[in-house]
Amino acid sequence: MVIPSILEHVGNTPLVSVNMDEFKHINLFVKVESYNPTGSVKDRAASYILDKLLKNGTINSETTIIESTSGNFGVALSAFCKHYNLSFIAVVDSHITTINEMLIRSNGAKIIKVTEPDKYGGYLLNRIKKVEELQSKINNSYWVNQYENPLNAKAYYQSLGKELCFQIEEMDYVFLGISSGGTITGVSKKIKENFPRAKVIAVDVEGSQIFKNSPMKRYIPGIGSSLKPKIIEDALIDDVVITDEVSTIQACYELLQKYNFFVGGSSGSVFAGIKKFFADMPKEKVNIVSVFPDRGERYFDTIYNKKWVERVISMKQESAVSALYS
Ligand SMILES: Cc1ncc(COP(=O)(O)O)c(C=O)c1O
């Protein structure tokens, strides 16, 4: 079949089995989401949300789409807004990577960069303030608001969740990273309808506020959040595993060196999370499904940069030492 645009090839990503060296009793299957057109799982949300809003008349060709995002969602939205001839403003912060900024700009989006940290030292509150200011100034505008928009979860219910249920015959556990909560909310609902006994395990990172950990500076983008997303109120989560960022980095290198997966940080977190969860469990056969949300190239300046890794590890050790004496 020939398609008129690569953006019409969202989903139907490969499902790959991984024989984990240290856990021979685990059958692990991963959905490799980098095979989406702009390189991440977020294409599923961006394409679904815009299509639905256009079809139900909430937005039209004159609407300006606004979203606070420095990551994969910004890249995906910029591509799909261009595809649908919609104007897009991405409200980003100083932490945006050079590659994401380049991709969003080259898709014709406008970037507004927030450089002033908020009272918590992060940028989230000031980014939201900027979005609200833009909304009040621009007449026909729509704030996607991935943390609260139910369409974000519906996108994953309809696409990724459906695909997994179709591709997998037996499922004991599903491990999913979490940031806006769209993936886990949609996928968990679909999976529980088809595999009621499957356990859904959320993977979050130290310092993230989704499950009320103690706050801590986080370095790896794509996973975790400094606020609890509203949409996860509907997620069907059985358990949570919290990984640390050093294990995430180690897992990324292990996935590359042993299994040929060149993946982003959240995939490393999920892999580290599976190992942590099963470390002290009886060695019974289990079928696990997971999702690797993106590819490693976008982490060339971070996870796959030796100097950055050394700096992060030394900062983590310093803060661990100072916590002992505080
Ligand atoms: C690389 C990566 N992994 C995981 C996630 C988490 O997905 P969600 O926002 O659906 O919770 C994101 C979201 O931006 C992401 O970019």
Side-chain angles (χ1 to χ4, degrees), residues 42 72 178-183 222 266 293-294 299:
K42 285 291 188 180
N72 288 331
I178 182 163
S179 181
S180 73
T183 313
S266 61
D294 68 353
Y299 303 81

Side-chain angles (χ1 to χ4, degrees), residues 42 45 146 149 152-157 178-188 229 231-232:
K42 285 291 188 180
Q146 56 176 325
N149 193 333
N152 181 16
K154 275 196 188 140
Y156 294 99
Y157 176 87
I178 182 163
S179 181
S180 73
T183 313
I184 201 159
T185 306
V187 170
S188 65
I231 53 172
I232 66 161

